Amino acid sequence: GDQTQPRVSPKSAAAAEPPPPPQPVQDAGMRCKKCGFDIPGGKKASKRHMKSECPKRQVECPDCEERMWAMSLEAHPSKCRMRRQTCPHCDEEVTAEGMRAHVAEECLQVEVECEYCKWSGLRLHLDEHWETCPRKEVFCDHCYEAMEQYQMCSHVCSFAADASECMICYEPWSASKVPAILLQEREGESGEIRCLRACPHICYCQECAIAWREKSPNKDCPLCREQYSSVVALGDWMWEFVLPPSPEPAPAAPPVKAPPPVAEAPSAPKAKSKAKAPPPTFSAGAIGEAADARRVPGQPPADPAP
């Protein structure tokens, strides 16, 4: 009564089973050309490796903007030229690149020496020293002459014309032909441009000095060959050193003012008085007649007065 299953051959059994699901095909691995690392995962993994994983990829320092390998970036801050350092003199934070210039030119607590005299002290007091340094070079604002500062207290501007007329156009000095001073530009200690006198000659008018410089190949004074870069005319107050003073008209006499009228003093009231009549005068005959009228009858007349 037992039922036996039919025997199935292996070939038929394999044909009867369903086929397995398809397996994904693995991409072939790639090797980095810079670091030699094997990169599994195909092109996407290779791009990711080159962008953010490769130790030899190029990166940039955020402080100094220097480009380097990524593997060197970790040790770079100790050598970065823009790293912050503390000045040993003034405790100010300065970049490593600017530390040398800071100590040589800016730090106020560094001891320095005056370039004109033998004074030495902190840079903090250098400007104060230069105000009174006797050997410091200064410039006269009127005649543009350079000299040491101790000479300025006794300096007298000297303006002497070499001729009474311009040596180029032969026009005499006048209000339209003003004598000119030749100047040369010079850089000062702090970088400012100053003009000083190129030569002592005053023998060209302003127009001719400018034209000569533009046309001359060497741009120099025709007499001493000193080069000049600009021209300035003599001021009005300097003319008395170059030209004879013009005669001034005599001042007009001030008008004579009439003296104010003198007020008369009020006179005192006069007392009323009666005028006296002059004494009567009598002739000699009238006197004799009056005496005869008073004579007593029978009495001889009196002898006349001698």
Side-chain angles (χ1 to χ4, degrees):
D2 295 337
Q3 297 182 358
T4 59
Q5 295 181 353
R7 183 178 295 180
V8 181
S9 62
K11 293 183 178 179
S12 60
E17 291 179 359
Q23 298 294 329
V25 180
Q26 298 292 334
D27 294 336
M30 300 181 67
R31 176 168 292 183
C32 179
K33 296 179 180 180
K34 294 184 176 181
C35 64
F37 182 75
D38 291 333
I39 310 169
K43 293 182 178 180
K44 291 183 178 180
S46 176
K47 290 181 179 180
R48 182 176 63 252
H49 171 79
M50 296 296 296
K51 184 177 181 180
S52 59
E53 297 175 357
C54 180
K56 291 188 176 182
R57 70 185 186 277
Q58 289 290 320
V59 294
E60 185 179 277
C61 175
D63 297 324
C64 65
E65 300 180 355
E66 181 182 351
R67 297 189 65 82
M68 66 195 73
W69 286 347
M71 58 188 300
S72 304
L73 184 62
E74 184 177 355
H76 172 70
S78 61
K79 302 178 181 179
C80 180
R81 57 187 176 85
M82 298 302 293
R83 68 186 185 276
R84 308 297 294 182
Q85 292 182 341
T86 302
C87 175
H89 303 284
C90 64
D91 297 334
E92 182 179 351
E93 288 192 357
V94 190
T95 61
E97 183 183 34
M99 179 62 70
R100 180 176 298 180
H102 169 74
V103 174
E105 301 175 2
E106 300 176 359
C107 183
L108 300 179
Q109 300 300 325
V110 173
E111 188 170 351
V112 295
E113 293 182 356
C114 178
E115 57 183 303
Y116 304 106
C117 66
K118 298 181 179 180
W119 178 89
S120 62
L122 298 179
R123 182 179 283 115
L124 178 65
H125 307 298
L126 182 60
D127 292 340
E128 182 180 355
H129 164 72
W130 277 352
E131 294 180 359
T132 57
C133 177
R135 296 294 181 179
K136 184 178 183 295
E137 187 179 36
V138 295
F139 303 89
C140 178
D141 295 332
H142 305 293
C143 66
Y144 303 94
E145 184 178 351
M147 67 195 74
E148 293 182 345
Q149 189 161 218
Y150 81 93
Q151 298 175 334
M152 182 61 73
C153 58
S154 59
H155 168 68
V156 177
C157 298
S158 60
F159 298 98
D162 300 303
S164 59
E165 60 186 12
C166 176
M167 297 183 64
I168 298 179
C169 64
Y170 297 104
E171 292 288 338
W173 305 130
S174 63
S176 59
K177 291 292 180 179
V178 182
I181 301 176
L182 309 183
L183 303 178
Q184 178 63 38
E185 292 183 354
R186 180 174 174 181
E187 185 177 357
E189 295 86 0
S190 58
E192 78 280 4
I193 302 299
R194 297 291 302 268
C195 292
L196 65 148
R197 202 163 177 174
C199 67
H201 300 115
I202 303 178
C203 51
Y204 322 109
C205 66
Q206 186 179 13
E207 297 178 0
C208 293
I210 296 175
W212 181 272
R213 183 183 180 278
E214 293 176 353
K215 297 179 181 180
S216 172
N218 298 325
K219 305 183 185 304
D220 52 8
C221 174
L223 292 179
C224 61
R225 300 304 179 184
E226 288 289 341
Q227 293 185 351
Y228 64 97
S229 57
S230 58
V231 177
V232 63
L234 291 181
D236 295 340
W237 68 272
M238 301 178 187
W239 278 65
E240 61 183 10
F241 297 96
V242 180
L243 302 178
S246 57
E248 298 181 357
V256 179
K257 296 182 179 180
V262 179
E264 296 181 358
S267 56
K270 297 181 179 180
K272 295 182 179 181
S273 58
K274 296 181 179 180
K276 295 182 178 180
T281 56
F282 301 96
S283 60
I287 295 174
E289 291 179 354
D292 292 342
R294 294 194 302 271
R295 187 179 54 189
V296 179
Q299 183 179 2
D303 296 333

